[in-house]
Amino acid sequence: MLPTMISGTTPQLTVLDALALTSDPAFEVRFVESAHRILADLVRGGAALGWVEPPSRGEIAELLRQVLSAAQAGNAALRVACLDGRPVGLGYWLRYARPTHRPHADLEKVAVDAASHGRGVGRALTAALVADAREAGIEVLTLDARGDNTHALHLYRSLGFTEYGRLPDFVAVDERRYDKVFYMLDLRRQG
């Protein structure tokens, strides 16, 4: 799949897929470093990404290796967003493993470095991942998010996701509690 370009903006935003990522070993190494920096910095700042403490570089490298392997098998999609060639965000979905859930996938992560917020990076990543899901024959794309992540929840709603459930005070971060909110995008209804 070709990179998605958003023209008319400064700096230039490019969204690359997993194949583009793996076709350049030097970029792939830079991407692992960038992904670690992005995710660790966001978690350090309190972002709702599933970690309480910043993940290690090794943990992120292994996660990306697993996602890339799944993408190569047609069971995932991985996207990286770059501003003027510098990785500033990433996102991926994984197909459900259960045979009865195979037509569906879970949007696992969409993360954008704090300095790039408000530039359309999260929207471009999510839209590209939705397009990948549609192309892969995914029928329903699901996700869950922490209830206080209002910017992400607004973005998902604006792209057609709908809430289908909520677990009050389910996420525990030290003494704080947050709702876990479930969203879905039914791609069968969108052609």
Side-chain angles (χ1 to χ4, degrees):
M1 182 170 279
L2 296 174
T4 303
M5 305 288 277
I6 311 292
S7 60
T9 62
T10 305
Q12 183 69 38
L13 174 61
T14 308
V15 179
L16 304 171
D17 68 7
L19 294 176
L21 188 68
T22 57
S23 67
D24 180 353
F27 182 80
E28 189 174 356
V29 169
R30 264 189 16 245
F31 173 61
V32 171
E33 294 300 326
S34 296
H36 175 249
R37 178 189 46 78
I38 291 165
L39 293 168
D41 287 352
L42 288 170
V43 171
R44 222 175 267 110
L49 295 171
W51 289 282
V52 175
E53 297 295 325
S56 70
R57 186 205 178 280
E59 185 177 355
I60 297 305
E62 178 59 20
L63 171 69
L64 294 173
R65 186 196 65 70
Q66 290 174 5
V67 174
L68 280 169
S69 177
Q72 291 166 340
N75 293 320
L78 172 67
R79 291 291 185 144
V80 57
C82 299
L83 287 173
D84 288 340
R86 182 177 61 85
V88 296
L90 68 136
Y92 66 92
W93 57 256
L94 293 168
R95 189 181 295 271
Y96 283 99
R98 284 186 170 161
T100 56
H101 294 80
R102 294 287 298 158
H104 314 298
D106 193 48
L107 185 62
E108 297 278 335
K109 297 259 181 290
V110 175
V112 177
D113 74 7
S116 301
H117 285 181
R119 296 184 181 195
V121 176
R123 177 173 297 281
L125 277 169
T126 307
L129 289 164
V130 168
D132 292 342
R134 186 176 282 113
E135 187 176 311
I138 298 299
E139 294 177 5
V140 178
L141 189 59
T142 60
L143 64 89
D144 63 77
R146 204 167 75 189
D148 68 324
N149 197 349
T150 57
H151 287 38
L153 295 174
H154 174 77
L155 169 65
Y156 298 135
R157 283 190 304 271
S158 75
L159 292 171
F161 284 83
T162 57
E163 184 176 328
Y164 71 91
R166 181 180 292 257
L167 294 172
D169 297 329
F170 187 80
V171 180
V173 180
D174 297 322
E175 298 302 314
R176 296 178 305 254
R177 298 294 181 266
Y178 303 95
D179 291 357
K180 183 174 185 176
V181 185
F182 299 92
Y183 274 57
M184 65 174 277
L185 180 63
D186 191 337
L187 297 171
R188 298 171 294 193
R189 296 186 184 152
Q190 298 183 351

